[in-house]
Amino acid sequence: MHKPTDPTEMTALELVAAYTSGELSPVEATAAVLSKIAQTDSTINAYCLVDEEAALAAATESEERWRGHYTRGLLDGVPISIKDVFLTRRWPTLRGSGLIDPAGPWDVDSPAVERIRADGMVMVGKTTTPEFAWKGVTDSHQRGITHNPADPRRTAGGSSGGSAAAVAAGMAPMSIGTDGGGSVRIPASFCGVVGFKPTHGRIPMYPISPFGPLAHGGPITRTVEDAALLMDIISLPDHRDPTSLSPTLTTYRSQVYRDMTGLDIAYSPTLGYVDVDPEVADLVENAVNALNEAGLPVTRADPGFSDPIDEFETLWAAGAAASLNNYGTLDDVRADIDPGLAQMWDTGTGASATEYLAARNTCVQLGVTMGAFHEMHNVLITPTVPIPAFPLGADVPPNSGMRWWAQWTPFTYPFNMTQQPALSIPVGKTSQGLPVGMQIVGPRHSDDLVLAVGHFAERVLAG
């Protein structure tokens, strides 16, 4: 396998190995990433903030620790970007919106950022998001459109599109994003990188998302092993999130090489109701066949639920309304916000508590269905998104007749509703060179298993 020498092409694990051997220093790696951002981001628009001075200062401190053999953590000195929804000390967190005052104060780190800082990683900047992370593409009045590195004429996906585009373009090997309906997995699929949505509560969040239990934090990386390493850092509990889970008994990095013998893998090409682009279907089918040939038996099986999009919309609209209620009335700010977000706010404000609770009950029933399914099948494989990245400039594919973004990503949001771990890994490219992702879903609290199956699949597909 080709071993990269350019720091912007290296995985986090490769960077740590280079720091250990002395072949590369954190300052050299960070300088290379900053140079790549300067060269590339005017085309991609993945970053809304880059702090070169702070990044180089952090890298210099890391380099001193490496020289003294007293590194802070697993990924000391590795560059990382932060989606602009995570509170970060000394940096504004504007969430893609003009409604938030940049003056701050900005004196608190969110739990994930606090862990990243404590580990000694080098935060180079913050990545773009649509306004309040409300949709599956990444554009905003404040920051413009984020482009896909595979084809800048197409969307990077969203809402963590800036994070995925940055990783794909070599503008830092890692990022952290959020996923309320697919927002880590969608851009991972569109950009050809790895995106992981863990079990709800595994990554503590503060402030708690207005989208409630739909919202998850998650890593975006080049490899599954890197995602496991980052999970070991950001998944420790935090008292500010009462839903955060107790620490795991083992590390994720120790589990990615676990034995696959005896696993029962289910493959659902459509969940029983999704229309899938033929090239996407073929690429995922080829990946599944490769797993079979590598000794991991995969059988076709649908989970047995119907599309819960109406209930998801009720929950999502309520979250959108909750996001914005602190900024006045809709009439006060309508001209200043994304028109689609305004429409979603209006829908959420009109929903009753009874409708909301009925939608939450659907989540419970979905969870029961998936729990029974996983009694028979350890994990479920599907396409991540049924289409490749579509042209810029709209929330939905052209001429699709779709009304809102969730309609084109039916494989992702059901597993936000059930709070299950779900991983997207790249499985190839279409005839137009557009990346396609495969989704691996496991029972709640089986994050280590999902990462292990993803790592196995990644190695099989790499040959």
Side-chain angles (χ1 to χ4, degrees):
M1 183 179 293
H2 168 69
K3 182 179 178 181
T5 56
D6 181 346
T8 67
E9 296 177 1
M10 291 182 176
T11 67
L13 195 62
E14 289 168 340
L15 286 173
V16 169
Y19 298 164
T20 302
S21 68
E23 297 172 33
L24 191 66
S25 75
V27 170
E28 290 169 328
T30 300
V33 166
L34 291 169
S35 177
K36 187 75 169 182
I37 293 169
Q39 295 166 13
T40 306
D41 204 42
S42 59
T43 300
I44 302 301
N45 192 33
Y47 280 89
C48 57
L49 181 153
V50 177
D51 192 336
E52 182 173 337
E53 182 179 353
L56 288 172
T60 300
E61 292 174 4
S62 174
E63 187 166 315
E64 291 173 359
R65 291 192 294 272
W66 277 99
R67 285 176 176 167
H69 304 287
Y70 57 95
T71 53
R72 275 192 194 169
L74 295 172
L75 298 174
D76 197 333
V78 172
I80 188 170
S81 64
I82 310 295
K83 182 180 180 180
D84 191 32
V85 297
F86 290 95
L87 292 178
T88 308
R89 282 192 286 116
R90 297 188 293 273
W91 291 348
T93 300
L94 303 183
R95 296 178 170 88
S97 179
L99 301 180
I100 297 174
D101 184 357
W106 306 109
D107 53 7
V108 175
D109 280 336
S110 66
V113 172
E114 186 174 82
R115 301 296 184 194
I116 286 167
R117 199 186 296 276
D119 196 77
M121 299 186 73
V122 176
M123 294 184 288
V124 296
K126 304 198 84 173
T127 54
T128 54
T129 175
E131 198 162 7
F132 293 99
W134 87 272
K135 62 182 178 179
V137 298
T138 301
D139 59 56
S140 70
H141 292 320
Q142 298 301 308
R143 298 303 308 178
I145 298 173
T146 297
H147 301 246
N148 193 321
D151 181 347
R153 299 167 299 178
R154 294 178 182 263
T155 180
S159 63
S160 306
S163 291
V167 172
M171 297 187 287
M174 297 183 137
S175 190
I176 53 168
T178 56
D179 189 317
S183 291
V184 161
R185 291 159 290 154
I186 293 165
S189 181
F190 281 0
C191 294
V193 295
V194 171
F196 182 50
K197 179 192 79 67
T199 300
H200 184 264
R202 179 47 62 203
I203 296 176
M205 303 291 284
Y206 175 81
I208 298 296
S209 171
F211 293 102
L214 294 175
H216 305 58
I220 297 176
T221 60
R222 292 205 179 113
T223 67
V224 175
E225 192 163 13
D226 274 5
L229 283 164
L230 190 51
M231 281 294 296
D232 281 333
I233 295 168
I234 63 177
S235 64
L236 294 174
D238 189 284
H239 71 276
R240 293 171 291 177
D241 182 353
T243 70
S244 64
L245 301 174
S246 299
T248 58
L249 297 177
T250 60
T251 63
Y252 293 107
R253 66 187 182 279
S254 69
Q255 293 296 304
V256 292
Y257 287 95
R258 66 192 287 178
D259 186 10
M260 297 288 107
T261 303
L263 291 182
D264 188 304
I265 311 296
Y267 168 47
S268 179
T270 68
L271 291 180
Y273 55 82
V274 179
D275 291 327
V276 181
D277 176 271
E279 285 195 89
V280 171
D282 287 346
L283 286 165
V284 176
E285 183 92 23
N286 290 342
V288 168
N289 290 339
L291 293 181
N292 259 317
E293 292 169 5
L296 187 61
V298 182
T299 58
R300 289 192 180 226
D302 293 331
F305 58 78
S306 57
D307 189 354
I309 191 167
D310 291 340
E311 292 83 358
F312 177 73
E313 182 172 11
T314 297
L315 298 170
W316 196 252
S323 298
L324 294 161
N325 282 338
N326 292 331
Y327 300 99
T329 68
L330 179 55
D331 287 340
D332 291 335
V333 300
R334 186 186 296 273
D336 300 319
I337 65 174
D338 185 311
L341 177 58
Q343 184 177 1
M344 193 60 62
W345 184 0
D346 200 31
T347 300
T349 302
S352 69
T354 301
E355 290 170 327
Y356 182 86
L357 290 174
R360 287 293 309 140
N361 185 61
T362 295
C363 296
V364 172
Q365 295 308 313
L366 280 173
V368 170
T369 298
M370 287 306 302
F373 182 81
H374 286 301
E375 288 292 306
M376 299 178 288
H377 307 287
N378 297 101
V379 301
L380 168 67
I381 290 176
T382 73
T384 305
V385 187
I387 56 174
F390 52 87
L392 297 168
D395 293 350
V396 299
N399 305 313
S400 65
M402 294 178 180
R403 179 174 55 84
W404 72 301
W405 66 268
Q407 290 174 284
W408 52 260
T409 184
F411 288 112
T412 56
Y413 57 78
F415 305 111
N416 293 81
M417 298 174 76
T418 60
Q419 304 180 14
Q420 293 174 246
L423 172 73
S424 180
I425 65 169
V427 293
K429 295 182 178 180
T430 68
S431 58
Q432 292 184 292
L434 301 175
V436 168
M438 180 175 78
Q439 179 174 237
I440 302 167
V441 182
R444 292 180 71 236
H445 311 297
S446 68
D447 306 80
D448 55 342
L449 173 63
V450 170
L451 289 166
V453 173
H455 185 242
F456 179 84
E458 186 179 63
R459 286 182 292 153
V460 167
L461 296 174

